Amino acid sequence: MFTRRRFFSGAGLAVAAGAIGKGALAALPEIVTTHSTATQTPLVPPNGRPYHPVATLNGWSLPWRMHNGVKEFHLVAEPVIREIAPGMEAHLWGYNGQSPGPTIEVVEGDRVRIFVTNRLPESTSIHWHGQRLPNGMDGVSGLNQPAIKPGQTFVYEFAAQRAGTFMYHPHADETTQMAMGMMGFWVTHAKDSNFMPVDRDYVFLLNAYDISPGSYTPKVSTMLDFNLWTFNSRAFPGTDPMVARLGERVRIRVGNLTMTNHPIHLHGHEFVVVGTDGGWTAPGSRWPEVTTDIAVGQMRAIEFTAAAPGDWAFHCHKSHHTMNAMSHTVPTTIGVETADLARKITSLVPDYMSMGVTGGSMTEAQMNMPLPANTLPMMTGTGPYGGIEMGGMFTVMKIRSDLAHDDYRDPGWYKAPSGSVAYLWRGEPPPVDRGGQVAPVADRSDDVQMRVQKPTGPMEH
């Protein structure tokens, strides 16, 4: 739910007037904010030049107003509460009620004016990552401009010179403010609305946090050992799916503002990288991929045709990035019989639970493991066939033949045609050949157990 409200009154008005002047202050656009974590319907431009709007995963696009031919936006840097996934909220910093902040959409050649109000307890600024603009609008505190002090509003104004995919983030106390979630997406659409047309255009940022179990605020000094890896500050199963109609052309734009690279992988389809930080790639330079690596500070735009119906995984291929609240200090107990040890420890620590429980999955193990309040368990997504055992940087690309072209709602789980789902084999398993010695097998219940006879003679190699 969006709300509009006048921000300046009383003392706040006086502070801001010193930063931007009385004339500009009278013309401030209203502040638009939301606390919803759902993917909002793309914002169709009510005025200005036409474009095909993007859909921000678990996010939204910021409305604007036209003022004497200039597109005016109002960003508010402020503390926010973001639900990472059901069962966990984080106390972050962001813009206009959310982290990441709203996506800004403009058209190549637009004159853009962005009012930035600082409601943080410290100074800030905004850098328009990847943009061509006057040096004084680049947003590096101390180098290009004075820092925006708490209570002040600064104005950035420039022409959107280049179509492409961009980001915005602070260049003031950067490690703290970005670790707290201050970032947002920016899309400059081509002035030719027929340039590289797609049916659906998704955008989101990669971000990571280090939030101790039971707490709410990220550690801002962490460099490598993050425990929450997210798409647009949402961890699966809190991440919305991306949806498409069978046969549609789909573009997904991803920006990386974490501290490491991410190999982003799509199941069931191959794609081409059509855009980078520097702009659109030449068609002759593209080749099919199913994974593209996105380094720190980079952006990638990929395109593919939604050719196969189903629920297709879309995720970072670093396996520990598809986990939630993971610990880097838990010892590996695979192959270790922990029952006796667990009983002894439980007599001293009643809430103790050993990891790597024999015969149970991660999901089954977590059902009985008590967790501190406001803490996500690891890999708790559930699908139509049971536990997905994924979390963090994971979502689903849902392709349907009966989806309307402008419908972005979740269609539910895919109903696979009969005979098209992998199934359990209940017959006799094949014999095992160990260097010419055939081992008999036994089928006990659903578990296939193989008993290998000891060789009676020398093994042949």
Side-chain angles (χ1 to χ4, degrees):
M1 178 68 69
F2 296 113
T3 60
R4 296 179 178 270
R5 61 182 184 272
R6 297 290 182 183
F7 170 63
F8 292 100
S9 62
L13 178 65
V15 171
I20 64 174
K22 294 181 180 178
L25 185 63
L28 270 173
E30 290 181 325
I31 297 169
V32 185
T33 186
T34 182
H35 299 288
S36 171
T37 58
T39 301
Q40 302 290 332
T41 302
L43 178 64
V44 177
N47 50 46
R49 286 178 287 183
Y51 62 81
H52 187 274
V54 301
T56 304
L57 186 65
N58 291 103
W60 58 297
S61 288
L62 184 64
W64 68 87
R65 74 173 184 190
M66 296 299 297
H67 184 72
N68 295 331
V70 179
K71 221 171 234 186
E72 292 186 337
F73 299 85
H74 197 158
L75 283 173
V76 180
E78 60 185 351
V80 303
I81 296 176
R82 176 70 162 177
E83 185 189 65
I84 303 295
M88 181 185 182
E89 291 181 340
H91 293 177
L92 306 178
W93 291 355
Y95 301 92
N96 296 59
Q98 279 292 9
S99 169
T103 298
I104 294 175
E105 295 185 76
V106 302
V107 177
E108 184 182 13
D110 279 351
R111 188 76 185 173
V112 182
R113 182 179 297 129
I114 307 106
F115 296 83
V116 180
T117 298
N118 183 9
R119 287 181 175 173
L120 298 173
E122 64 178 34
S123 297
T124 190
S125 70
I126 293 192
H127 167 59
W128 313 100
H129 188 112
Q131 303 267 16
R132 296 177 188 166
L133 36 62
N135 186 251
M137 296 292 171
D138 196 45
V140 180
S141 296
L143 177 65
N144 308 121
Q145 66 167 84
I148 309 172
K149 296 178 181 179
Q152 290 184 329
T153 294
F154 270 54
V155 181
Y156 297 84
E157 186 170 342
F158 52 90
Q161 298 183 41
R162 179 167 66 88
T165 305
F166 309 100
M167 301 181 282
Y168 61 86
H169 62 80
H171 257 302
D173 193 10
E174 186 174 341
T175 54
T176 295
Q177 295 185 13
M178 290 183 67
M180 289 291 289
M182 295 190 69
M183 57 191 71
F185 220 96
W186 177 303
V187 173
T188 299
H189 297 277
K191 57 186 175 183
D192 178 4
S193 58
N194 295 317
F195 175 74
M196 293 180 61
V198 293
D199 298 293
R200 297 182 192 248
D201 198 339
Y202 288 98
V203 305
F204 63 90
L205 291 169
L206 305 173
N207 25 37
Y209 301 100
D210 183 8
I211 303 178
S212 297
S215 64
Y216 292 78
T217 304
K219 300 175 185 177
V220 298
S221 58
T222 299
M223 296 182 65
L224 297 174
D225 288 342
F226 296 91
N227 61 4
L228 289 168
W229 300 94
T230 63
F231 286 170
N232 243 36
S233 294
R234 290 284 281 183
F236 188 78
T239 317
D240 283 345
M242 294 180 285
V243 301
R245 182 184 175 93
L246 186 67
E248 285 186 329
R249 189 68 176 173
V250 180
R251 179 183 297 140
I252 303 175
R253 312 182 197 220
V254 184
N256 180 8
L257 286 176
T258 73
M259 299 286 279
T260 188
N261 64 305
H262 299 278
I264 298 299
H265 174 56
L266 172 65
H267 289 208
H269 294 75
E270 61 275 2
F271 56 75
V272 292
V273 176
V274 298
T276 70
D277 316 64
W280 302 110
T281 59
S285 69
R286 302 168 189 169
W287 64 87
E289 277 283 9
V290 297
T291 305
T292 185
D293 196 39
I294 308 176
V296 179
Q298 285 187 336
M299 291 157 284
R300 291 290 181 267
I302 67 171
E303 285 185 15
F304 63 97
T305 298
D311 293 339
W312 302 104
F314 184 93
H315 61 97
C316 176
H317 218 290
K318 289 187 174 180
S319 58
H320 63 291
H321 292 183
T322 51
M323 299 174 71
N324 291 329
M326 65 178 297
S327 172
H328 299 269
T329 59
V330 175
T332 299
T333 56
I334 295 174
V336 176
E337 180 53 58
T338 59
D340 290 340
L341 179 62
R343 279 193 291 270
K344 294 177 181 178
I345 297 177
T346 303
S347 66
L348 299 174
V349 185
D351 290 338
Y352 170 80
M353 177 184 163
S354 61
M355 303 299 289
V357 179
T358 302
S361 69
M362 179 67 73
T363 303
E364 293 167 346
Q366 289 170 352
M367 293 296 291
N368 298 314
M369 183 169 65
L371 293 172
N374 200 57
T375 301
L376 292 179
M378 292 187 291
M379 306 183 299
T380 55
T382 302
Y385 302 102
I388 296 177
E389 296 193 2
M390 289 284 188
M393 290 180 163
F394 182 93
T395 188
V396 180
M397 186 80 221
K398 296 190 174 185
I399 299 172
R400 302 289 187 273
S401 61
D402 57 351
L403 194 70
H405 287 292
D406 58 351
D407 190 354
Y408 285 81
R409 294 172 297 178
D410 185 348
W413 296 113
Y414 180 62
K415 295 179 176 58
S418 177
S420 66
V421 178
Y423 59 93
L424 174 67
W425 175 255
R426 295 186 179 276
E428 288 293 328
V432 179
D433 188 345
R434 299 295 191 210
Q437 298 293 323
V438 177
V441 295
D443 185 5
R444 190 177 67 189
S445 178
D446 288 337
D447 297 323
V448 177
Q449 298 192 354
M450 299 184 180
R451 298 175 297 182
V452 181
Q453 288 184 335
K454 294 182 180 180
T456 58
M459 297 291 288
E460 295 183 3
H461 298 284

